[in-house]
Amino acid sequence: MGARYAIAVNSGTAALQLAYQEFLKPGDEIIVPDFTFPATASMAIAAGASPVLADVAPVSCTLDPASVEKVITHRTRAIAPVHLYGQPADTAGLARLARKHRLRIIWDAAQAHGAISNGRDIGSLPDVACFSFYPTKNLTTGEGGMLTTSNKALAAQLRLARSHGESSRYLHTRLGYNYRMTDIAAAIGIGQLRKLPAFLRARRRNAAILSKGLAGIPGLVLPQTPGGDRHAYCLYTVCVNSRVLGISRDELQESLAAQGIESSVHYPRALHQQPIFRHLGADRDFPVSTSLALSVLSLPVHPALSNDDLQRIIRAVREAVGA
Ligand SMILES: Cc1ncc(COP(=O)(O)O)c(C=O)c1O
């Protein structure tokens, strides 16, 4: 990843909680995207802080720096951008903002093993990146996670917090947990790490085939990655503009299912639409994330797909939309 230190833990959720606890105290605010998996926000609450929602940018579906700037207050201490689907967030824009307002950045890299932003591995960016090794991710240990950082003091604190604050045998010098990765999971992870380059090549090849085959369909927005960035394609997610396309996202999904092709929605609700986070979005609008929740659809992109599988997916989408 290009980072000096890597701290293995037993989930991506644990990685986020540990990182948040290092930088946040009760009353502090952390800005998180409204369009993400709930752990990005809920672990801030678990760490005693207050998540504040900001909207995402269209197309990239990642945290929009302009939307972040609008909700910065004197209590804001950090931001938690998500490299959603494996698409690098606007790392330069967000880092500029963080420098200007003296904010920490905890990158939620749960879906982004291998993603590159402006030529840099997203795991090497300060302050810390949090990965998940859940089975749907680009690298799995069954359940597991990891933090990567080049900050030595931070790495030492994260190691302590992972295992009951035990600085030497039965000497407990700070509050900690049991968030250790098991040796069995680590053994799987070492094997997976060797395969990761081949997995990433296959995911990127599959994505390129899908993008070529689905190009030029009005109303179907395909993933787009700016020059200098490389998408890790944990998910290949398209956006359905139902007015232009003539069918809704759900109709497209049903049509694919009828042909035996599984697709999924990441995510059907923005965070402000989730019962546990509804209070965070009161009196505010999140036009982009609200529209994404109705329009995103993830098509199969995993490394085991054959060329025939990919052509079948492309045909099925084209048939469903009449293109
Ligand atoms: C964006 C994001 N953040 C955090 C997590 C939490 O990771 P884990 O399931 O390993 O706890 C996930 C997992 O799905 C995720 O997609």
Side-chain angles (χ1 to χ4, degrees):
M1 297 293 167
R4 264 177 226 263
Y5 309 101
I7 299 95
V9 290
N10 52 18
S11 71
T13 303
L16 284 169
Q17 189 188 347
L18 292 184
Y20 288 162
Q21 288 200 335
E22 289 312 305
F23 293 125
L24 302 171
K25 52 183 192 325
D28 287 349
E29 292 177 355
I30 175 166
I31 299 171
V32 305
D34 185 43
F35 202 63
T36 178
F37 184 72
T40 318
S42 58
M43 286 306 100
I45 299 172
S50 306
V52 173
L53 304 177
D55 209 350
V56 294
V59 186
S60 83
C61 308
T62 63
L63 195 57
D64 175 18
S67 175
V68 171
E69 193 145 33
K70 284 190 202 138
V71 290
I72 292 175
T73 71
H74 66 282
R75 292 168 62 196
T76 310
R77 294 286 170 272
I79 53 178
V82 181
H83 305 295
L84 198 70
Y85 312 142
Q87 160 89 53
D90 176 0
T91 58
L94 292 162
R96 241 189 332 271
L97 201 61
R99 265 195 310 277
K100 180 171 160 198
H101 296 276
R102 296 167 167 267
L103 305 175
R104 299 293 194 161
I105 309 187
I106 296 114
W107 302 98
D108 184 336
Q111 304 179 357
H113 324 57
I116 305 286
S117 177
N118 293 319
R120 263 183 87 167
D121 195 303
I122 51 87
S124 72
L125 300 172
D127 291 283
V128 61
C130 300
F131 292 88
S132 164
F133 300 147
Y134 183 73
T136 53
K137 304 301 194 273
N138 288 358
L139 181 163
T140 185
T141 58
E143 293 274 7
M146 188 167 276
L147 301 109
T148 58
T149 181
S150 292
N151 179 331
K152 189 175 182 183
L154 174 64
Q157 289 304 319
L158 292 169
R159 285 211 172 88
L160 284 175
R162 166 179 63 181
S163 190
H164 293 295
E166 193 178 33
S167 51
S168 61
R169 200 161 169 79
Y170 296 126
L171 181 69
H172 302 270
T173 50
R174 60 159 287 168
L175 185 70
Y177 309 87
N178 173 3
Y179 287 170
R180 296 183 300 266
M181 176 181 279
T182 67
D183 291 353
I184 297 165
I188 296 169
I190 289 167
Q192 285 272 297
L193 192 56
R194 289 193 196 108
K195 295 179 185 171
L196 183 62
F199 286 159
L200 285 168
R201 271 198 302 279
R203 284 181 180 276
R204 288 182 173 130
R205 183 202 59 216
N206 295 346
I209 292 171
L210 289 171
S211 288
K212 189 161 172 235
L214 297 173
I217 302 177
L220 192 73
V221 182
L222 306 178
Q224 288 162 44
T225 313
D229 285 5
R230 295 202 76 192
H231 199 308
Y233 291 109
C234 181
L235 294 163
Y236 182 94
T237 304
V238 299
C239 286
V240 174
N241 181 334
S242 54
R243 261 182 301 127
V244 179
L245 206 58
I247 67 169
S248 70
R249 183 267 314 277
D250 293 351
E251 286 166 337
L252 174 57
Q253 184 171 33
E254 281 159 24
S255 168
L256 293 177
Q259 300 199 47
I261 297 169
E262 190 181 359
S263 61
S264 45
V265 176
H266 304 93
Y267 297 93
R269 285 166 188 262
L271 292 193
H272 78 275
Q273 297 168 325
Q274 293 285 2
I276 46 165
F277 299 126
R278 205 160 271 153
H279 61 290
L280 300 178
D283 305 329
R284 293 185 48 217
D285 285 335
F286 302 90
V288 181
S289 64
T290 303
S291 131
L292 289 176
L294 294 170
S295 61
V296 288
L297 187 66
S298 302
L299 303 176
V301 74
H302 62 81
L305 292 169
S306 68
N307 205 17
D308 285 352
D309 294 331
L310 291 158
Q311 295 308 329
R312 192 155 78 83
I313 295 162
I314 292 165
R315 269 198 311 277
V317 173
R318 286 197 167 269
E319 266 170 44
V321 304

